[in-house]
Amino acid sequence: MKFYRWIAVAAVASVAASVMAAEPLTAEQVAAHVLNRIGYGPKPGDIERVTQMGVQRYIDAQLNAGAPLPPALSARLASLDAVQQPAGVVMRRFLEVRAMAKDESDGDKVRRREVVTAIAQQTAEARIARAVDSPNQLEEVMVDFWFNHFNVFAGKGVDRALIASYERDAIRPYALGNFRDLLGATAHHPAMLYYLDNWVSTANGYIPRGRKQGGQKAKSSGLNENYARELMELHTMGVDSGYTQKDVTELARMLTGWTYDNRELVARNRTFSFDATRHDRDDKLWLDRRIKAGGQEEGEYALDVLAMLPATAHHLSFQLAQYFVQDQPPPALVDRMAKSYIDSKGDIRSVLRTLFASAEFMAPEAVGAKFKTPYQYVISAARASDTAPSDIKQTLGVLTRLGMPLYGCQTPDGYKNTQDAWLNPDALSRRIAFATQLAPTLDVQALQATLAGSISAKTQGAIAGSPPPLRAAMLLGSPDFMQR
């Protein structure tokens, strides 16, 4: 009980941040800081490796994301059919078992559940295995960052079958590339089109007879503004950036006809189609720009414009600085990052270089200033203890109990990465229970060596004065480890 009280009080008070910021950083602390911020924390030997090679060289290598995957990780990923197969193949399996629901035996129900569960678990296993074992840690962090930015809820209809493709084909290839390419990839992917209902958005409310998606006939819903609104509010410009409700409506009109067809998806793996019969063929007035009636190119033009607006540069820079530096990032840093964005025409690596080279990123007061999300906490614990999760169901259960089911955010804004969203007594008690469960199998001395530079003298003293069986749990449940 004393252990639990110590953790709760210390974490709520954010002791780690204040203690670690009190003095200039040692080389070990600098290495630990970088490993915790641009990745999911150190694995055994990482602190020494980064210290020896130099922090700047390590950052440059992470920006290039060119390290080969370990053979064991490559083999594990190759064994996951739902992750390797094209979206159309996975969708065919999903629709086949969905069709059983109309008139199925008990055996069919079991098979249907098994197929749907296998798709979900394999998708999650690939993400978690990469996050724990990939040497390209910044790439994994940015995949998680952009997935939350362009969030799609895996529990909605056919998106259960499309999430693996969405992450693999629309997020991962562009996570460190050009933002316009990333924006376009998400806009064209059926997971996003389905999630935010653009696939049914129609100028005149008419959908060609027989059109079905996800085993259900699409309803004539007319103009749907869901995607257009989130495209401006969340994906690009940001709320309160000057657009109006009229701009949302006009953008939605420009995007009518952007859809996908399950028949084409299943037969040819065609993940996007433009249906001219459903497109609004009149001129539009959007963001004070007169848009001549065209077709699909109207939507492409909108993406071009949105990607390079100063408001978009600032919105994205703020979010990146908030993720990598502080919950309330320094405005001057955000401005410099926004300038890099505009100067590089939306190159994500250029913006990150400005961020990682900044005094604000390396400042002592930034160390430990970010509270880990449940996902970051679980992945960093697996890395620090060198225990890659073998039972994916158990890991997913932990994330759910901690309040952050993987791919489970139902709202378009995705999971938050700020302390206010995750620091509360109930959440802390659940993290401590997880740490206590994991600890008995761990070598506490090896764990202490791995976390060197991340654990304050105050925490080390508390651990040294505790019974040996509690020490590993105290390390993983400490306020220092819960922050990054």
Side-chain angles (χ1 to χ4, degrees):
M1 190 63 71
K2 181 180 178 182
F3 167 46
Y4 278 72
R5 285 199 301 271
W6 171 71
I7 295 294
V9 172
V12 172
S14 299
V15 169
S18 61
V19 170
M20 296 293 281
E23 299 176 356
L25 303 180
T26 65
E28 198 174 57
Q29 288 172 334
V30 170
H33 173 60
V34 170
L35 285 162
N36 279 310
R37 286 297 174 88
I38 73 172
Y40 292 111
K43 293 189 83 170
D46 279 355
I47 296 289
E48 295 84 351
R49 181 170 60 87
V50 173
T51 301
Q52 290 173 4
M53 72 183 293
V55 165
Q56 188 55 56
R57 186 179 165 199
Y58 177 75
I59 290 174
D60 291 341
Q62 288 297 305
L63 283 166
N64 291 325
L69 299 183
L73 175 58
S74 296
R76 186 174 185 179
L77 295 174
S79 70
L80 304 174
D81 293 343
V83 177
Q84 302 299 330
Q85 293 172 336
V89 174
V90 180
M91 179 65 86
R92 181 187 298 117
R93 290 168 56 199
F94 181 81
L95 294 179
E96 286 173 352
V97 297
R98 276 279 294 265
M100 297 177 184
K102 295 179 180 178
D103 183 23
E104 61 181 353
S105 65
D106 290 341
D108 288 336
K109 289 180 182 178
V110 171
R111 181 185 164 215
R112 177 165 60 89
R113 278 196 302 270
E114 287 176 346
V115 170
V116 173
T117 300
I119 292 171
Q121 289 184 354
Q122 288 187 21
T123 303
E125 182 174 354
R127 161 76 87 85
I128 291 170
R130 281 180 177 272
V132 173
D133 287 329
S134 174
N136 301 308
Q137 282 286 285
L138 178 60
E139 179 183 37
E140 298 310 312
V141 163
M142 293 305 295
V143 166
D144 181 57
F145 175 87
W146 289 124
F147 194 101
N148 277 309
H149 185 82
F150 294 103
N151 184 56
V152 167
F153 174 48
K156 181 177 179 179
V158 298
D159 276 341
R160 290 178 173 87
L162 293 170
I163 288 295
S165 168
Y166 181 64
E167 184 170 287
R168 180 192 65 214
D169 302 328
I171 302 290
R172 183 171 293 279
Y174 312 101
L176 289 166
N178 184 273
F179 181 75
R180 172 60 178 89
D181 295 338
L182 173 61
L183 184 66
T186 58
H188 290 87
H189 199 279
M192 180 64 75
L193 293 167
Y194 183 86
Y195 173 57
L196 290 179
D197 304 313
N198 206 81
W199 71 280
V200 294
S201 185
T202 309
N204 56 10
Y206 171 74
I207 295 179
R209 181 178 298 175
R211 172 64 62 87
K212 292 184 177 181
Q213 304 286 49
Q216 297 178 342
K217 187 173 181 180
K219 297 179 180 178
S220 299
S221 61
L223 188 69
N224 191 296
E225 298 180 353
N226 288 353
Y227 178 58
R229 178 174 292 103
E230 308 307 350
L231 182 56
M232 289 197 287
E233 178 179 325
L234 298 176
H235 299 171
T236 57
M237 298 173 67
V239 70
D240 298 328
S241 56
Y243 66 86
T244 65
Q245 174 55 41
K246 175 68 172 175
D247 291 321
V248 173
T249 301
E250 294 296 273
L251 180 56
R253 293 175 60 207
M254 295 165 71
L255 291 167
T256 48
W258 281 49
T259 187
Y260 76 101
D261 187 330
N262 266 333
R263 294 167 299 187
E264 290 292 308
L265 176 59
V266 169
R268 300 178 180 83
N269 198 45
R270 186 181 178 190
T271 55
F272 173 82
S273 62
F274 176 74
D275 188 343
T277 67
R278 298 165 59 185
H279 183 66
D280 187 315
R281 300 176 187 178
D282 293 329
D283 293 351
K284 291 91 178 172
L285 184 62
W286 172 68
L287 296 181
D288 297 324
R289 294 166 168 83
R290 184 152 307 271
I291 312 298
K292 283 291 192 182
Q296 180 180 340
E297 58 266 31
E298 292 178 37
E300 301 292 352
Y301 172 75
L303 297 182
D304 290 342
V305 170
L306 288 169
M308 289 311 300
L309 288 175
T312 297
H314 189 274
H315 179 59
L316 298 177
S317 296
F318 178 91
Q319 290 194 323
L320 286 165
Q322 182 182 69
Y323 185 95
F324 285 103
V325 181
Q326 292 179 352
D327 288 359
Q328 294 299 323
L333 172 61
V334 174
D335 290 344
R336 296 198 305 274
M337 292 169 62
K339 184 179 185 302
S340 293
Y341 181 96
I342 295 296
D343 291 347
S344 66
K345 295 181 170 52
D347 181 66
I348 296 167
R349 279 189 179 89
S350 295
V351 178
L352 290 176
R353 282 195 182 96
T354 298
L355 169 60
F356 298 150
S358 70
E360 293 92 336
F361 175 72
M362 296 303 299
E365 58 267 24
V367 176
K370 291 291 297 182
F371 190 74
K372 292 177 182 177
T373 68
Y375 179 76
Q376 292 165 347
Y377 178 68
V378 170
I379 299 300
S380 63
R383 286 179 58 80
S385 59
D386 202 21
T387 54
S390 57
D391 187 341
I392 194 63
K393 290 189 291 185
Q394 185 179 48
T395 304
L396 293 178
V398 169
L399 288 171
T400 298
R401 288 194 296 276
L402 295 180
M404 195 178 186
L406 190 58
Y407 308 119
C409 183
Q410 299 186 32
T411 55
D413 53 348
Y415 288 121
K416 303 293 187 294
N417 68 78
T418 56
Q419 178 172 290
D420 288 347
W422 301 110
L423 180 55
N424 61 76
D426 182 60
L428 288 177
S429 67
R430 292 176 186 273
R431 292 190 185 201
I432 294 165
F434 166 71
T436 304
Q437 226 175 9
L438 182 62
T441 62
L442 305 182
D443 181 334
V444 67
Q445 290 185 328
L447 186 60
Q448 285 178 311
T450 298
L451 297 177
S454 301
I455 304 299
S456 67
K458 184 172 184 176
T459 298
Q460 290 174 358
I463 291 170
S466 300
L470 283 180
R471 290 176 185 174
M474 292 183 74
L475 276 167
L476 297 179
S478 70
D480 299 354
F481 189 76
M482 289 193 194
Q483 296 183 234
R484 61 182 184 93

